[in-house]
Amino acid sequence: MRILLLGGTWFLGKAVAVAALERGWEVTTFTRGKSGPAPLGARAEHGDRTVPEDLSRLARSGEWDAVIDTSASALAPRDVLAGASRLEPVAGRYVYVSTVNAYRGWPNEPLSESSELLDGPPDADINYGQLTVHWDGPDWYYGRQKAGAERAALAAFGEERTSILRPGVILGPQEYVGRLPWWLRRAQKGGTILAPGSRVQPIQPVDVRDVAEFALDQVTAARGDAFNVTAPLGHATMEDFLEACLRVTGVQGQLVWTPDDLLLEFEVAQWTELPLWRTNKGAWAVDSKKAHDAGLRSRPIADTVAATWEWLESGGMPVEHPRWAEHGIDPATEDEILQALARRSVS
């Protein structure tokens, strides 16, 4: 099989490239050349997806069984549409990696593939969906952009030749967001560790390597389709996750489970200050049975944690990204909350 990766040099894109090469497939990566080299064995093409001349040059450079698009998170739908349309004559299929944010109900309600998508036209520019000055509703900007990009891929390749993947949280080696690395470094410090919410809270992170393999499986699928790509419901709990972090670091830290209401009282930023903690009912209620029935594998959370720790300890560094700095609670704030919990416990 011959695949063109839009991306291919960091995190999910790199995992897809490596997995494809391990299958013996021919891999071409298309990047701006700013996030490191393509994996050994891949053919690297450089250019900007928003520049028509670069897209035309790419289209002239080969023919592929499929395009796998892992690098459109910051692109407007109309840029995805322009690129997909230019590549359609030279590619058999299009696999577009979207997000659960494309659903109107995220993260407040349980989701399945039949849930309503946000509005977002395939030719929308980067400003579509931005909040107005007096808007006091949910911020659906990112979701609208991604929903529009999904429609762009479908407009160019059609339903039969387009697969849409909607991951939730992706963790694993080379993670650039900083969620799992922050928890690993916090576990490494040991001591008394603020563990957010309930120890039995189900969570559904999916390993980057499992997403990569499933994306490749769509290249040879009988027809296109849309899939939620998460670990299955009941796969792991927050306690499973944090205990795995302590175990791989080899530190005897003490997890102190802190109720949601106290964290909210201290205005802890959900999803970032204590990564993966979120009180919205739908945050960890994404039905991905359809993907698992189609072959998605979800390895144990402990395997994901261990592989990420091995990468960090071997000197692994993620691609620089502003989201990294958003994650993690200030030690002084953590201590203040733990003291408040202790006072509550004796009152």
Side-chain angles (χ1 to χ4, degrees), residues 50-117:
T50 65
V51 177
E53 293 79 8
D54 289 357
L55 288 172
S56 295
R57 175 170 46 80
L58 175 63
R60 291 193 299 268
S61 71
E63 292 187 355
W64 298 277
D65 295 296
V67 177
I68 302 180
D69 188 350
T70 67
S71 66
S73 60
L75 288 182
R78 70 178 183 184
D79 292 323
V80 175
L81 178 62
S85 297
R86 186 65 189 86
L87 293 170
E88 187 275 332
V90 294
R93 303 176 65 86
Y94 201 93
V95 180
Y96 177 70
V97 181
S98 183
T99 169
V100 293
N101 292 70
Y103 290 113
R104 183 174 293 275
W106 167 258
N108 296 317
E109 58 189 54
L111 298 172
S112 70
E113 287 85 358
S114 63
S115 299
E116 180 186 2
L117 292 173

Side-chain angles (χ1 to χ4, degrees), residues 36-47:
L40 184 65
R43 175 167 67 95
E45 296 284 345
H46 293 139

Side-chain angles (χ1 to χ4, degrees), residues 24-320:
W25 293 9
E26 295 180 19
V27 178
T28 301
T29 63
F30 182 68
T31 70
R32 292 177 297 173
K34 297 182 178 181
S35 302
L40 184 65
R43 175 167 67 95
E45 296 284 345
H46 293 139
D48 190 322
R49 293 180 59 178
T50 65
V51 177
E53 293 79 8
D54 289 357
L55 288 172
S56 295
R57 175 170 46 80
L58 175 63
R60 291 193 299 268
S61 71
E63 292 187 355
W64 298 277
D65 295 296
V67 177
I68 302 180
D69 188 350
T70 67
S71 66
S73 60
L75 288 182
R78 70 178 183 184
D79 292 323
V80 175
L81 178 62
S85 297
R86 186 65 189 86
L87 293 170
E88 187 275 332
V90 294
R93 303 176 65 86
Y94 201 93
V95 180
Y96 177 70
V97 181
S98 183
T99 169
V100 293
N101 292 70
Y103 290 113
R104 183 174 293 275
W106 167 258
N108 296 317
E109 58 189 54
L111 298 172
S112 70
E113 287 85 358
S114 63
S115 299
E116 180 186 2
L117 292 173
L118 287 165
D119 60 302
D123 58 351
D125 65 18
I126 201 66
N127 297 311
Y128 184 86
Q130 287 186 345
L131 298 180
T132 60
V133 175
H134 301 293
W135 176 255
D136 60 357
D139 186 356
W140 283 329
Y141 169 70
Y142 179 63
R144 282 171 164 157
Q145 289 280 310
K146 295 298 281 188
E150 288 186 17
R151 295 184 178 102
L154 288 163
F157 275 78
E159 291 186 3
E160 291 291 325
R161 299 165 60 203
T162 305
S163 292
I164 305 293
L165 309 188
R166 300 186 185 116
V169 172
I170 304 177
L171 301 179
Q174 302 197 31
E175 183 202 333
Y176 65 92
V177 177
R179 296 180 176 115
L180 176 49
W182 185 84
W183 275 117
L184 284 166
R185 292 307 186 195
R186 178 62 190 91
Q188 186 182 31
K189 293 178 183 177
T192 304
I193 301 171
L194 193 164
S198 169
R199 67 175 70 233
V200 297
Q201 171 63 54
I203 59 173
Q204 297 179 274
V206 64
D207 191 290
V208 64
R209 295 163 294 178
D210 296 334
V211 181
E213 293 288 356
F214 189 66
L216 293 176
D217 290 344
Q218 302 319 299
V219 173
T220 57
R223 65 180 304 277
D225 210 336
F227 300 95
N228 295 332
V229 183
T230 69
L233 297 168
H235 181 71
T237 65
M238 197 68 180
E239 183 175 39
D240 295 332
F241 172 70
L242 294 183
E243 288 287 358
C245 290
L246 286 170
R247 191 161 52 250
V248 299
T249 59
V251 176
Q252 298 300 311
Q254 178 189 4
L255 298 174
V256 178
W257 293 94
T258 307
D260 294 336
D261 69 305
L262 185 58
L263 299 176
L264 294 172
E265 181 181 325
F266 275 84
E267 299 183 344
V268 176
Q270 300 189 44
W271 217 231
T272 52
E273 279 195 273
L274 291 168
L276 306 189
W277 171 66
R278 197 161 193 166
T279 60
N280 305 75
K281 292 183 179 180
W284 299 116
V286 179
D287 183 355
S288 55
K289 183 178 184 300
K290 181 178 177 182
H292 286 275
D293 288 346
L296 172 64
R297 174 197 174 198
S298 288
R299 68 192 71 202
I301 191 70
D303 289 2
T304 303
V305 171
T308 305
W309 179 245
E310 182 180 357
W311 165 66
L312 287 171
E313 286 297 277
S314 66
M317 292 293 294
V319 171
E320 290 188 9

